[in-house]
Amino acid sequence: MTASIQPRRRLRPRLRVRALALALLAACAAPALAASPADAAKISPEVTLKLIDLLVAKGVLTRGQADDLIAEASASAAARPAATAAAQPAYQTAPGAVVVPYVPEVVRQQIKDELRAEVVQQAKSEGWATPNALPEWTQRISVYGDLRARAEDVLNDGENYREFPNFAALNSGSGYDVADPVANPVPYVNTTKNRGRMRLRARLGVHAQIADWVEADLRLATGSDRSPVSTNQTLGAGGNLSKYSLWLDRAYVRLKPTAWLSADIGRTPNPFWTSELLFDNDLNFDGVAVKTQFAHDPDFKTFVNVGAFPVFNTDFDFGSTQKIDKESSRDKWLYGAQAGLDWNFADAMSLKLGLGYFLFDKLNGQFSSACLAPTAKDVCDTDLSRPQFQQFGNTMFAIRNIVPAQGAPNGPQLQYFGYASEFGVANLHAALEIARFDPVKIVLEADVVKNTKYDAGRIRALGPLNNFKPTLDPADTTAIFDGGDMGYYVNLLVGQPKIEKAWDWNASIGYKRLESDAVPDAFTDSDFHLGGTNARGFIVGGSLGLARNTWLGLRWLSANEVTGQPYSVDVIQLDLNTQF
């Protein structure tokens, strides 16, 4: 057994003096505690004075405090009624000696009571009234986090098509010169060579209860880049064992004036109940979200969640700090609304259902007005309609209407690329949980999305650059656009959905199909098919608890393309997870 050593608490000066005075009086009056007043009179004043001098010499009392104590004792003796003084024998002392009289029990008890009350009050105000207690404000702050170490293998099919343009790389620079692809080669996605990597995800958050109805939350996370859908840090990516960056992952204020209503303002967690078919689990939202929940009875609850989130805000000086005339803004927003229910409709059986609609305003690309042979320093009026972040799969088209410079028809023609489809996604999400075999549970989950803004005719008119129907005839050069607007996901899980202790377990199998333009590829799952849309295949996995809040996880994600040229990739992930 180890001894718990507690730091000493210092009493306020006034309390310290009173405590010493009480100890001194108790020491002087010790014989009187068990004897009569006549016996108490035998106490030597010289002993008392020597004791006071000793306390001064040891630094326990200052000289001024000692003098005050002696003066207080002298005044108390002088104020005693004559009858009382007459009833007590006189002390025989040397000239100039101070007499310390007998301290009655009632006085001593009064001093102890007053001292105890003041000490308790100080202990409560400073948070040391009980062992190991902390000041009150620290009890309103909690720290939480998680850490995941991952070994990942990416296995590409050797028969994959090799010439998928990397549109994210094309859009990140000053434009791709379509007039000279030889001198300015197209960047391509790696679809043929396997990769293995170690990855780390670490997140640390602080939650504060500011007031009864006001909370604040801040979380930092790792990440190899600014990706909104991944906080994974690839180990060794910086080279030479260099350190890695931390990013602001969440920072929001939560207002909760009632038990059924809350509002999050800032960079918030996903306020909607969705699967990774629509939003990656690591995705957080910038903006304002309002959530409501109504308990109609213990077994039936309903909820409504709404939110408005800026996806992109135009730079204040766009199009260029070198131009007097600025360009109009093109802010991109996500507006979302979801209603649903949580119903325990039978013994150990429950159903959760959510129906939502998510409008991505101005996320699609826009064809520009005539733009005279832009250079790396020039902008065209719709350049900001290109995606600032994307993964893979959405249909793309060239957004700049480039007019060659007079006298230089073959000069540079720097181009950007945008989403060909608009996005307004309807979503139906359901989960059936059966807990009749407790602690083993069975969870059947289904999710469906449809892009109500998808218009194949409009996309063809824009001149799409990808997602064409493959042909087996090499001589057939006809390109037929073959995109889609639907997606679905089904998953069966058996075991404990949340691993909390050693030997908790679960196993799952699911199937996902997500057509090219069903959802924005920027925000969906970043692991399946290495992120994005135009993918279909199976996800098989399982988890095993090793200790409290510590578990191993294994997943195999096998995905192929839905349409277009062949692109098949398997991803295998072995995870060690902890959380606190």
Side-chain angles (χ1 to χ4, degrees):
M1 179 180 296
T2 59
S4 176
I5 301 177
Q6 303 297 327
R8 292 187 177 182
R9 299 288 182 176
R10 299 177 66 92
L11 292 174
R12 296 191 185 100
R14 184 166 62 88
L15 294 180
R16 190 162 57 244
V17 172
R18 292 198 58 166
L20 291 170
L22 179 60
L24 178 60
L25 290 173
C28 296
L33 297 177
S36 65
D39 295 328
K42 299 177 182 178
I43 300 172
S44 171
E46 287 81 356
V47 173
T48 302
L49 293 175
K50 288 181 180 179
L51 178 58
I52 293 176
D53 289 338
L54 179 61
L55 292 175
V56 172
K58 293 294 185 180
V60 178
L61 290 177
T62 66
R63 184 72 262 174
Q65 291 171 337
D67 292 341
D68 291 342
L69 185 61
I70 294 172
E72 182 178 351
S74 299
S76 176
R80 183 175 294 107
T84 304
Q88 297 183 359
Y91 293 114
Q92 301 298 321
T93 62
V98 177
V99 177
V100 179
Y102 165 72
V103 181
E105 176 65 25
V106 65
V107 176
R108 288 188 290 107
Q109 187 61 45
Q110 181 181 1
I111 293 175
K112 287 193 292 183
D113 291 343
E114 291 179 359
L115 181 62
R116 183 184 298 110
E118 293 191 41
V119 171
V120 169
Q121 181 60 37
Q122 180 183 356
K124 289 182 177 179
S125 64
E126 296 182 2
W128 49 275
T130 57
N132 300 318
L134 295 174
E136 184 274 335
W137 65 269
T138 64
Q139 301 174 24
R140 294 183 283 109
I141 295 178
S142 59
V143 177
Y144 66 94
D146 62 89
L147 192 148
R148 181 181 69 197
R150 166 175 290 177
E152 181 178 81
D153 277 336
V154 178
L155 308 176
N156 283 303
D157 192 320
E159 300 300 319
N160 285 345
Y161 184 65
R162 299 169 181 265
E163 300 180 12
F164 288 104
N166 188 334
F167 288 107
L170 290 169
N171 281 328
S172 63
S174 57
Y176 172 69
D177 187 1
V178 296
D180 192 2
V182 176
N184 187 22
V186 177
Y188 294 113
V189 177
N190 172 27
T191 60
T192 58
K193 301 302 181 182
N194 298 340
R195 292 287 187 264
R197 52 190 176 180
M198 293 287 294
R199 313 193 85 184
L200 181 73
R201 183 184 72 180
R203 301 183 293 195
L204 180 64
V206 177
H207 183 85
Q209 188 74 41
I210 307 299
D212 290 343
W213 61 284
V214 182
E215 304 171 31
D217 194 283
L218 186 147
R219 189 172 78 177
L220 302 178
T222 53
S224 295
D225 50 39
R226 299 174 64 88
S227 165
V229 291
S230 176
T231 50
N232 288 317
Q233 172 62 59
T234 300
L235 300 182
N240 298 317
L241 301 179
S242 56
K243 296 185 290 292
Y244 303 114
S245 299
L246 281 177
W247 304 86
L248 182 62
D249 191 39
R250 290 179 183 173
Y252 64 95
V253 175
R254 173 169 291 172
L255 308 179
K256 194 170 183 179
T258 68
W260 58 269
L261 173 66
S262 67
D264 293 349
I265 305 169
R267 183 165 178 81
T268 76
N270 183 356
F272 307 107
W273 181 60
T274 58
S275 77
E276 290 196 298
L277 188 69
L278 179 57
F279 296 128
D280 189 279
N281 286 338
D282 281 345
L283 183 67
N284 292 295
F285 290 66
D286 298 340
V288 179
V290 178
K291 302 174 66 175
T292 64
Q293 184 175 39
F294 307 95
H296 303 281
D297 62 54
D299 294 325
F300 187 75
K301 301 175 183 178
T302 58
F303 61 88
V304 176
N305 305 325
V306 297
F309 314 97
V311 174
F312 173 77
N313 185 261
T314 305
D315 183 270
F316 194 76
D317 285 322
F318 179 74
S320 170
T321 57
Q322 300 173 356
K323 293 180 62 176
I324 297 176
D325 295 328
K326 306 301 180 183
E327 297 290 343
S328 298
S329 64
R330 183 184 170 86
D331 298 341
K332 303 176 185 181
W333 285 79
L334 163 61
Y335 303 101
Q338 183 184 53
L341 58 86
D342 199 340
W343 181 24
N344 296 321
F345 62 91
D347 182 30
M349 296 183 69
S350 63
L351 174 67
K352 188 170 184 178
L353 188 69
L355 178 63
Y357 187 76
F358 305 91
L359 175 63
F360 297 85
D361 185 42
K362 294 184 174 62
L363 198 69
N364 59 292
Q366 184 178 8
F367 196 55
S368 75
S369 58
C371 189
L372 181 64
T375 68
K377 295 183 178 181
D378 295 323
V379 296
C380 299
D381 57 4
T382 64
D383 282 359
L384 291 186
S385 69
R386 73 186 190 274
Q388 282 66 43
F389 174 81
Q390 62 187 117
Q391 297 192 88
F392 183 87
N394 284 160
T395 305
M396 307 297 292
F397 78 105
I399 63 174
R400 279 179 164 179
N401 179 17
I402 299 175
V403 178
Q406 187 174 4
N410 297 321
Q413 298 184 30
L414 303 180
Q415 187 61 264
Y416 284 129
F417 307 89
Y419 292 138
S421 179
E422 297 180 352
F423 294 95
V425 181
N427 174 231
L428 178 62
H429 188 199
L432 174 66
E433 181 176 296
I434 302 172
R436 292 184 174 179
F437 312 102
D438 192 62
V440 174
K441 296 181 180 180
I442 300 173
V443 181
L444 179 61
E445 181 181 11
D447 201 14
V448 180
V449 292
K450 178 177 176 59
N451 182 7
T452 63
K453 292 283 188 177
Y454 177 82
D455 185 339
R458 176 183 176 275
I459 294 174
R460 292 190 183 97
L462 290 172
L465 301 174
N466 57 332
N467 297 327
F468 297 108
K469 182 178 295 185
T471 177
L472 299 178
D473 184 2
D476 185 1
T477 59
T478 304
I480 301 175
F481 175 67
D482 191 35
D485 63 350
M486 289 287 296
Y488 65 86
Y489 168 65
V490 292
N491 187 71
L492 174 65
L493 180 145
V494 178
Q496 288 82 38
K498 181 176 174 60
I499 306 297
E500 296 180 332
K501 62 182 184 301
W503 309 120
D504 280 358
W505 63 274
N506 63 48
S508 63
I509 182 170
Y511 183 82
K512 182 186 293 188
R513 177 187 171 92
L514 192 59
E515 295 176 347
S516 63
D517 299 296
V519 299
D521 65 15
F523 308 127
T524 188
D525 186 357
S526 62
D527 295 320
F528 187 73
H529 207 236
L530 293 181
T533 61
N534 193 25
R536 58 184 173 86
F538 287 93
I539 303 173
V540 180
S543 300
L544 176 65
L546 303 179
R548 184 180 65 177
N549 295 329
T550 304
W551 69 97
L552 279 175
L554 179 64
R555 286 205 308 170
W556 170 47
L557 304 93
S558 180
N560 300 317
E561 78 289 345
V562 174
T563 189
Q565 299 296 336
Y567 182 15
S568 174
V569 58
D570 288 358
V571 178
I572 301 174
Q573 298 171 336
L574 176 63
D575 298 338
L576 175 61
N577 301 271
T578 63
Q579 67 178 24
F580 54 91

